Amino acid sequence: MNISNILIVSPMYKELSKIIEKEVLHKTFRFIPEEELIQDDLSWADALVSFNLKADYDYSHVKWVHSLGAGVDRFLYKKDWNEDILLTRTICSFGQRIAEYCLSYILKDLQFHDVFQEQQQQKKWVQHTPKLVAGQKVLVYGTGEIGQMIAKLCSGLGIEVYGVSLSGQEKAYFKEVMMVNSHFSRLNEMNYLINTLPLTEQTDMLLDETVFTQLSNAGFINVGRGASVNDGALIQALTDNHVKFAVLDVFSKEPLPENNPLWSHPRVQITPHISAVTTPQEGAACFLDTLKNIDENKPLKNIVDTAKGY
């Protein structure tokens, strides 16, 4: 594949420019923010590098699209994809970052951080014995690279980690991996649920009342995609104490609208999609490695199966 003209569209285009243009001398680049993008830029490009394009531009003629994020749903979900276009995604420290993010909220719950904070405000001295992580049960939706890193970190602390995937294929660090349609009877055993699933037609609204009503006061953490969760069902599960708390880093619409009831729910913790931020250094490194492998006709470890959506 001959790639000469590369268009990089990103909020961090200046930082990427400083890094990439030092490393690549035999390509022509355009680094621009999305608000300055025009169709002529895409018509010029052999390759597009971006998180996503919010407007419906035509980039069907480019040879290669590289996502600066781990997810590619903004390129594929409910869209027709030209199978002649190579699609790759960024692989870097996402798994480690997300695993530590999830573990921090599990530890926060087990150590009664919120309880002690409230007692401090009320000047109450009431002892609660922190719980150990060992023996806790965590169910992870999605057993790919990110799910496996969560399982590795948690299982190393003695947590029993279970997985749910479309295939049900066993993976390292999981005590058991179940298929989507056969895991419901196990939900009431779980202390925490973590969603890492990509957004596809199979995962759209997958986590609904069918899942949440089976829980017994479990914590829920969403670091996958917002559209995988039925927000109404989640709020009802919080009301009915099927879910004890929810930590939400991703939403169907971002930024989360100010009138969304999740903002003010007392048992919902909201973070602004920061559990796995692409730094300019990591984003550039993965892109440069992928470009090098394409130029040298080497196998790509980050190629996307566009039929599956991830």
Side-chain angles (χ1 to χ4, degrees):
M1 181 186 297
N2 182 26
I3 300 293
S4 298
N5 299 331
I6 301 175
L7 174 63
I8 297 186
V9 184
S10 169
M12 56 185 186
Y13 71 100
K14 292 181 180 179
E15 296 92 334
L16 291 171
S17 174
K18 291 178 182 178
I19 299 170
I20 292 172
E21 289 191 318
K22 289 180 181 179
E23 301 291 333
V24 182
L25 303 177
H26 59 291
K27 309 287 184 183
T28 304
F29 287 92
R30 288 184 187 177
F31 297 87
I32 58 177
E34 185 166 331
E35 56 268 23
E36 295 181 11
L37 176 66
I38 60 176
Q39 187 60 49
D40 285 348
D41 293 314
L42 288 159
S43 299
W44 165 84
D46 296 314
L48 167 66
V49 180
S50 181
F51 284 106
N52 66 291
L53 299 183
K54 297 175 184 176
D56 290 329
Y57 292 101
D58 178 16
Y59 51 90
S60 60
H61 65 285
V62 303
K63 301 174 184 177
W64 169 38
V65 173
H66 178 72
S67 171
L68 285 169
V72 292
D73 52 278
R74 288 167 179 165
F75 293 106
L76 295 179
Y77 181 60
K78 292 186 177 179
K79 295 181 180 179
D80 294 326
W81 183 261
N82 182 347
E83 295 298 331
D84 294 330
I85 301 174
L86 172 67
L87 180 59
T88 57
R89 65 185 184 91
T90 296
I91 296 177
C92 56
S93 65
F94 292 146
Q96 186 68 29
R97 289 178 183 273
I98 288 179
E100 292 182 9
Y101 174 97
C102 294
L103 180 60
S104 74
Y105 285 100
I106 292 174
L107 289 172
K108 177 185 176 184
D109 180 50
L110 295 174
Q111 293 289 326
F112 295 107
H113 284 194
D114 290 339
V115 173
F116 292 133
Q117 180 64 34
E118 183 178 350
Q119 288 183 187
Q120 179 179 342
Q121 293 171 354
Q122 298 173 358
K123 298 181 181 179
K124 286 186 177 180
W125 184 281
V126 180
Q127 291 184 332
H128 303 272
T129 303
K131 301 176 183 178
L132 296 175
V133 293
Q136 299 293 317
K137 293 186 177 182
V138 173
L139 181 66
V140 181
Y141 286 86
T143 59
E145 178 191 357
I146 290 172
Q148 287 181 62
M149 184 59 73
I150 293 172
K152 180 179 180 180
L153 183 64
C154 290
S155 63
L157 296 173
I159 297 174
E160 293 183 15
V161 187
Y162 299 81
V164 174
S165 70
L166 296 177
S167 68
Q169 181 181 351
E170 294 299 317
K171 294 288 185 68
Y173 308 111
F174 289 94
K175 184 170 184 177
E176 181 183 354
V177 177
M178 298 166 279
M179 296 182 68
V180 172
N181 58 3
S182 62
H183 80 288
F184 299 107
S185 63
R186 305 292 299 278
L187 286 169
N188 64 350
E189 303 173 26
M190 302 301 159
N191 302 110
Y192 304 95
L193 264 64
I194 301 173
N195 177 44
T196 74
L197 290 168
L199 179 59
T200 66
E201 292 187 8
Q202 289 77 27
T203 65
D204 187 5
M205 294 290 179
L206 179 65
L207 302 177
D208 58 12
E209 62 275 359
T210 307
V211 170
F212 292 130
T213 56
Q214 301 299 318
L215 299 175
S216 181
N217 206 32
F220 175 65
I221 303 173
N222 190 12
V223 289
R225 284 293 181 261
S228 297
V229 178
N230 184 315
D231 289 346
L234 174 59
I235 290 173
Q236 188 62 49
L238 286 161
T239 301
D240 296 339
N241 293 320
H242 293 294
V243 175
K244 74 187 297 190
F245 69 84
V247 177
L248 309 176
D249 187 54
V250 290
F251 304 90
S252 298
K253 185 176 182 180
E254 297 180 1
L256 185 65
E258 291 184 6
N259 62 352
N260 191 296
L262 291 170
W263 278 115
S264 56
H265 198 288
R267 287 190 281 150
V268 173
Q269 172 78 58
I270 290 173
T271 56
H273 206 147
I274 49 77
S275 61
V277 175
T278 303
T279 65
Q281 294 75 18
E282 289 183 314
C286 184
F287 161 72
L288 290 169
D289 182 64
T290 306
L291 177 60
K292 180 176 182 291
N293 288 334
I294 289 175
D295 282 345
E296 297 176 1
N297 198 29
K298 292 182 178 179
L300 302 174
K301 62 182 179 181
N302 58 335
I303 192 169
V304 173
D305 185 334
T306 56
K308 292 182 177 179
Y310 53 90

